[in-house]
Amino acid sequence: MAAYSDAGSNPADSIEAWQIKFCQAFYFNLGESNMEMRGEKSLNITTIGYLQSIDDVRIDRNDNSYIFLKLLSIPNSIYDEHEIEENEKIQVYTTAFKEEQIDNEFMETFARRKEIYNYLKNKIISSQLQKKYFQDGAKIRGQNAVILGEYDVETDDKYFDRIPVFSTENTNVNINNHKIFEANLIAGKSLGSLAELWSDSEKDIPLYIIWENKDDSYIYKIKENEDTQLQNNNLNTISVFPEDIERSHISEEWISKQYRRNDLLFMPSNNGIEDIKFINVFSNKYVNELNDLMVNEDYESISEINEDEITLTKKHTDDNIQQNSKELKFINRFKSITRKSKLFYSEKDLINFHTSMKSDGLVILAGLSGTGKSQLVTCYANALNPKEKSNSNLNFISVRPFWDDDSDLLGYLDTVNSIYRPGESGLLDTINEALKNPDKIFIVVFDEMNLAKVEHYFSQFLSILERNEGERKLTLYDKSIEPRIFNSNKYPSSMEIPNNIKFVGTINTDESTNDFSDKVLDRSNIITLDLIPFYKIKNIDTDESTDSDDSPITTTILNSMKENSELSLEDIDLHFLWSLHELLYKINKNLGIGWRVINQMNNYIANIPKNTELNKKNAIDLQISQRIMTKIKGSESQLKDLLDLDLNNEKSIYHLLEAYKSISSFEKTKKIINQKKKELEDYGFTI
């Protein structure tokens, strides 16, 4: 009788309670319970992640090996319903890899862990997350793991959107084209059944849905709205208003570039859809036709409205893809040439340089002496015109310390002999060549640009380069005396600087050089090049093949690459920049962000190449570091609060960056702040 005393006075109740406890204990002792705890949400989600380090490879006390995955695609319900921390990793036993032999149980423990790590590192791993119940509580584990492809944590995207893919393979029998699919979508009818696990939560509404057919594939963008509902588990049915759906045609090539597991696609959140132009085709007339024909099941008679607009959109997308393809080939060519020249810069730096060159204005390369800044420009010129072996499109000008006005660069008027004597730099001859060959790109390089005061010898150019094409006139002498100058046909009183000339400077930062004034900094992209670690160089293929097409990049082609990204500074970006301006302006009335910088930043962002590792978030960070942080100079008393690393100090840039972390991680900007902070501590001022 004593055995029943804790359960209550009714023996039947006592026996039932004891049986429940016994069953629970029995299942827990087996390791996993098939009994879902009361009040717990179930979890069935397919996602992706990667193995971050060898520390995430473990062997348990039963000699079973497992890993912890850092998730790259995180549905809303993971945080909201399952109390997962933001940086929490998911446990996956190596036996979950059904198609891979990953573990060798006969090896020594550390060697075993190392072999597992080497096998799985730099890989995108997909697994199905499921909640398991143990005696000490519920845990999330990854099941049915597969490797989807290669992944570079340093360069690839850190977040991916999950996109369900519907086709005739997984939809209802009557859905055999995109029109019928759309009719079912807006009517809230069943779409079909995914083979992969989507989610059990109504919170995990997809941002995008794909209808895939061989020659007729579309991506649908679903606007987040409180009225949008997921009505059945695993995405069987979605309730969404037509006005909240936009559509775009996509190619099979685009689909093939994404990570994929059966009928789930994983697309980079930051720049996966930069090539795609969405439009809303669901007008009232079209929706009414869809609704009527859903009743009659007469899908073939649905007339697509806005067909011209859709055709134009598809053509616009195809044109963009073609232009983007040329640009990607050029970037790969540029990268290959740098590798063959034994220059080892990160790909992001190379794309940053190319984007800055597209944006016009002055591009300045900074970095350690002897790291190949000048050679990098030569590689870029070679990439523009691979067949041009003499580098006739490149003019290197060695700046002299004694230059103090533009006559040292341009030359001067010899009034005694009535002749204009051009400078030894050959700059005017390069301008003449560029005027004669408008579809050939020329590059002028000012080597060790800051050996002399840039504001003195380059003063005219600083004002001219920001003007529109046709207004960029360089004045050599008074127009009234032009008829008397013997060589005025070659060197007229004023010369136009065409837009097929790009200006680049290289600088060193040592005691032999001069600082730049704000006049120069405001008009320049100053790129500090980061070297790839020496120990990684041996793994880089310097003989990688390039596309056989060695046709030159003409001015026309380069112009077609400009402002193709359809990106720009948005309201939140402008709010951030204004807040940063106010911080700087309070420190020094001559310090701040003017309209010129805003316009140039916007121009840079609009020129980001598509489908590369340089995205808008990276670009904002680069522009802050290249255009604004370069101007922050002063004493400790001025900059102590501004460069403070305390996130609670509202006068610090760090505090502001944290407040706007949604627009960028600001990695490069933070490094510069840390560097300037150290300079303050060491010298009492920033260098």
Side-chain angles (χ1 to χ4, degrees):
M1 294 295 293
Y4 304 133
S5 61
D6 291 337
S9 58
N10 188 327
D13 290 342
S14 301
I15 293 171
E16 183 181 359
W18 180 85
Q19 286 175 330
I20 290 172
K21 287 182 180 179
F22 174 81
C23 289
Q24 288 178 339
F26 174 76
Y27 281 115
F28 285 137
N29 287 333
L30 285 177
E32 296 181 3
S33 169
N34 294 322
M35 300 171 63
E36 185 170 310
M37 292 184 176
R38 185 175 299 171
E40 286 282 1
K41 294 277 188 177
S42 63
L43 175 68
N44 291 289
I45 289 174
T46 302
T47 186
I48 57 173
Y50 70 98
L51 183 60
Q52 202 165 24
S53 73
I54 195 171
D55 293 333
D56 291 328
V57 182
R58 311 279 179 85
I59 310 292
D60 69 14
R61 62 186 178 183
N62 295 321
D63 209 33
N64 298 313
S65 59
Y66 60 92
I67 63 173
F68 284 105
L69 281 187
K70 172 76 172 173
L71 294 184
L72 292 168
S73 183
I74 307 173
N76 295 328
S77 63
I78 288 282
Y79 294 145
D80 298 342
E81 297 177 359
H82 302 287
E83 299 179 353
I84 300 296
E85 298 294 330
E86 185 171 354
N87 293 314
E88 188 170 339
K89 298 175 183 178
I90 300 301
Q91 186 181 26
V92 182
Y93 275 87
T94 55
T95 53
F97 291 85
K98 305 298 184 186
E99 299 177 5
E100 309 279 346
Q101 183 61 43
I102 292 173
D103 188 14
N104 184 348
E105 298 176 0
F106 300 102
M107 298 179 70
E108 181 268 329
T109 299
F110 180 76
R112 185 177 166 192
R113 289 174 60 216
K114 187 175 181 181
E115 182 168 279
I116 293 171
Y117 174 70
N118 288 336
Y119 191 92
L120 295 177
K121 70 177 181 179
N122 300 327
K123 299 287 194 302
I124 284 282
I125 299 169
S126 174
S127 65
Q128 295 175 337
L129 306 188
Q130 294 180 327
K131 185 174 282 189
K132 302 293 182 179
Y133 298 95
F134 301 87
Q135 193 166 6
D136 58 348
K139 295 180 181 178
I140 293 178
R141 284 209 179 142
Q143 306 287 336
N144 300 321
V146 294
I147 296 171
L148 299 187
E150 298 294 320
Y151 178 72
D152 189 337
V153 66
E154 294 185 4
T155 59
D156 290 348
D157 285 71
K158 303 299 185 292
Y159 299 100
F160 290 76
D161 290 321
R162 298 188 309 151
I163 305 180
V165 181
F166 288 98
S167 66
T168 54
E169 299 295 322
N170 62 1
T171 52
N172 293 336
V173 176
N174 67 328
I175 301 180
N176 55 27
N177 61 55
H178 77 275
K179 295 179 184 179
I180 309 175
F181 179 75
E182 289 169 4
N184 279 266
L185 179 61
I186 66 170
K189 300 290 185 180
S190 173
L191 299 177
S193 181
L194 294 176
E196 291 298 333
L197 301 177
W198 175 259
S199 175
D200 289 338
S201 172
E202 67 276 5
K203 292 186 177 182
D204 292 330
I205 297 168
L207 296 176
Y208 307 95
I209 295 176
I210 287 175
W211 165 261
E212 183 181 25
N213 204 1
K214 185 175 181 182
D215 299 313
D216 197 28
S217 297
Y218 292 89
I219 184 169
Y220 301 87
K221 182 178 181 181
I222 298 178
K223 182 180 177 182
E224 292 188 71
N225 191 310
E226 60 183 10
D227 295 318
T228 304
Q229 296 177 1
L230 186 62
Q231 295 183 344
N232 294 83
N233 290 351
N234 213 33
L235 207 65
N236 181 269
T237 306
I238 301 173
S239 177
V240 59
F241 290 123
E243 60 266 27
D244 292 332
I245 308 175
E246 293 180 327
R247 189 184 80 182
S248 179
H249 186 274
I250 52 174
S251 65
E252 286 300 301
E253 181 186 4
W254 182 90
I255 293 175
S256 67
K257 288 180 180 178
Q258 316 305 318
Y259 294 111
R260 182 168 186 170
R261 177 168 178 165
N262 296 326
D263 46 17
L264 275 188
L265 219 63
F266 297 91
M267 179 187 75
S269 301
N270 289 332
N271 57 8
I273 59 166
E274 286 183 353
D275 284 341
I276 299 174
K277 183 177 177 62
F278 289 97
I279 59 171
N280 191 324
V281 297
F282 296 92
S283 70
N284 290 334
K285 179 183 176 183
Y286 185 39
V287 170
N288 288 335
E289 289 182 5
L290 288 175
N291 288 335
D292 291 342
L293 292 164
M294 273 294 293
V295 177
N296 300 322
E297 296 186 358
D298 182 14
Y299 302 107
E300 293 304 318
S301 63
I302 298 177
S303 59
E304 289 267 13
I305 65 144
N306 292 332
E307 198 66 51
D308 290 340
E309 185 178 5
I310 293 167
T311 303
L312 286 172
T313 300
K314 185 177 183 299
K315 183 179 184 303
H316 172 84
T317 303
D318 292 344
D319 288 346
N320 274 352
I321 290 172
Q322 185 177 7
Q323 290 165 358
N324 186 230
S325 176
K326 287 182 181 178
E327 187 163 23
L328 291 179
K329 286 180 181 178
F330 169 73
I331 290 171
N332 287 332
R333 184 197 292 174
F334 178 35
K335 175 185 172 184
S336 176
I337 291 173
T338 60
R339 296 285 191 261
K340 290 176 181 177
S341 301
K342 307 300 181 185
L343 291 181
F344 300 102
Y345 291 114
S346 71
E347 187 167 344
K348 192 176 292 183
D349 271 347
L350 299 180
I351 299 169
N352 181 20
F353 177 68
H354 168 62
T355 306
S356 299
M357 293 291 279
K358 282 203 300 175
S359 306
D360 296 322
L362 178 62
V363 181
I364 299 175
L365 297 177
L368 290 172
S369 178
T371 53
K373 297 184 292 294
S374 302
Q375 195 175 354
L376 180 66
V377 188
T378 303
C379 290
Y380 190 78
N382 290 340
L384 288 171
N385 197 348
K387 296 178 181 178
E388 183 67 65
K389 302 302 180 184
S390 63
N391 285 334
S392 63
N393 61 333
L394 185 63
N395 181 6
F396 265 98
I397 299 174
S398 297
V399 175
R400 309 294 176 83
F402 55 79
W403 286 3
D404 57 10
D405 63 35
D406 58 9
S407 65
D408 293 306
L409 175 65
L410 301 175
Y412 64 95
L413 182 66
D414 181 349
T415 54
V416 175
N417 296 297
S418 297
I419 193 171
Y420 188 85
R421 301 193 182 277
E424 295 179 358
S425 67
L427 177 56
L428 297 186
D429 293 329
T430 300
I431 293 173
N432 273 326
E433 283 298 308
L435 289 168
K436 293 176 186 175
N437 301 278
D439 217 24
K440 181 178 180 181
I441 300 169
F442 292 80
I443 302 176
V444 175
V445 186
F446 296 94
D447 201 21
E448 298 195 63
M449 189 176 199
N450 57 340
L451 279 179
K453 283 281 187 184
V454 178
E455 301 83 352
H456 295 168
Y457 71 84
F458 203 64
S459 56
Q460 278 202 71
F461 287 87
L462 291 175
S463 299
I464 291 170
L465 291 181
E466 58 184 345
R467 296 178 189 169
N468 296 325
E469 186 179 1
E471 300 174 359
R472 308 198 312 178
K473 300 281 187 179
L474 185 67
T475 302
L476 301 182
Y477 53 88
D478 195 316
K479 185 174 179 62
S480 63
I481 62 174
E482 185 176 306
R484 304 203 304 267
I485 305 304
F486 292 123
N487 58 351
S488 61
N489 60 329
K490 187 174 183 180
Y491 304 112
S493 59
S494 66
M495 297 180 71
E496 180 185 346
I497 301 178
N499 71 342
N500 59 324
I501 295 186
K502 309 297 177 186
F503 292 93
V504 183
T506 68
I507 63 171
N508 294 322
T509 51
D510 54 39
E511 64 280 357
S512 67
T513 59
N514 295 276
D515 289 337
F516 288 134
S517 69
D518 285 354
K519 184 176 182 180
V520 178
L521 296 173
D522 274 349
R523 294 164 169 81
S524 310
N525 260 310
I526 300 182
I527 302 173
T528 301
L529 298 166
D530 295 324
L531 291 174
I532 290 177
F534 303 140
Y535 57 85
K536 290 186 178 181
I537 291 175
K538 64 179 181 181
N539 298 322
I540 296 175
D541 183 9
T542 57
D543 295 319
E544 58 185 82
S545 60
T546 56
D547 193 274
S548 58
D549 180 14
D550 60 353
S551 56
I553 300 297
T554 63
T555 307
T556 303
I557 293 174
L558 188 65
N559 287 339
S560 72
M561 297 177 185
K562 290 184 177 182
E563 300 187 10
N564 258 342
S565 71
E566 298 175 1
L567 297 174
S568 63
L569 290 172
E570 298 174 24
D571 286 347
I572 189 172
D573 308 322
L574 294 171
H575 278 291
F576 162 71
L577 291 169
W578 179 252
S579 299
L580 181 56
H581 164 76
E582 288 184 315
L583 273 183
L584 301 175
Y585 192 71
K586 287 175 184 176
I587 298 296
N588 186 336
K589 301 302 181 187
N590 294 318
L591 193 60
I593 304 172
W595 280 112
R596 178 186 294 112
V597 172
I598 296 294
N599 290 333
Q600 290 173 342
M601 286 181 65
N602 200 49
N603 187 28
Y604 178 93
I605 289 170
N607 278 296
I608 299 171
K610 300 174 185 176
N611 297 327
T612 66
E613 62 185 78
L614 182 60
N615 54 43
K616 184 182 174 183
K617 289 189 175 184
N618 303 144
I620 289 175
D621 183 27
L622 289 172
Q623 286 295 282
I624 298 297
S625 61
Q626 291 170 190
R627 290 190 175 278
I628 297 171
M629 295 304 296
T630 52
K631 297 168 65 176
I632 298 178
K633 297 176 183 177
S635 64
E636 186 173 8
S637 61
Q638 285 180 303
L639 303 179
K640 184 178 180 181
D641 280 334
L642 190 69
L643 300 178
D644 193 357
L645 304 183
D646 184 0
L647 293 177
N648 295 318
N649 186 348
E650 295 183 359
K651 296 180 180 179
S652 73
I653 299 177
Y654 239 92
H655 173 83
L656 185 64
L657 299 183
E658 184 66 18
Y660 284 91
K661 62 183 179 182
S662 63
I663 67 173
S664 177
S665 62
F666 297 107
E667 291 178 12
K668 203 169 186 72
T669 303
K670 288 176 179 177
K671 285 182 182 178
I672 295 174
I673 292 173
N674 282 308
Q675 178 187 331
K676 289 183 177 291
K677 174 75 172 174
K678 189 175 186 305
E679 290 170 1
L680 279 186
E681 293 171 353
D682 291 346
Y683 312 117
F685 57 88
T686 57
I687 301 175

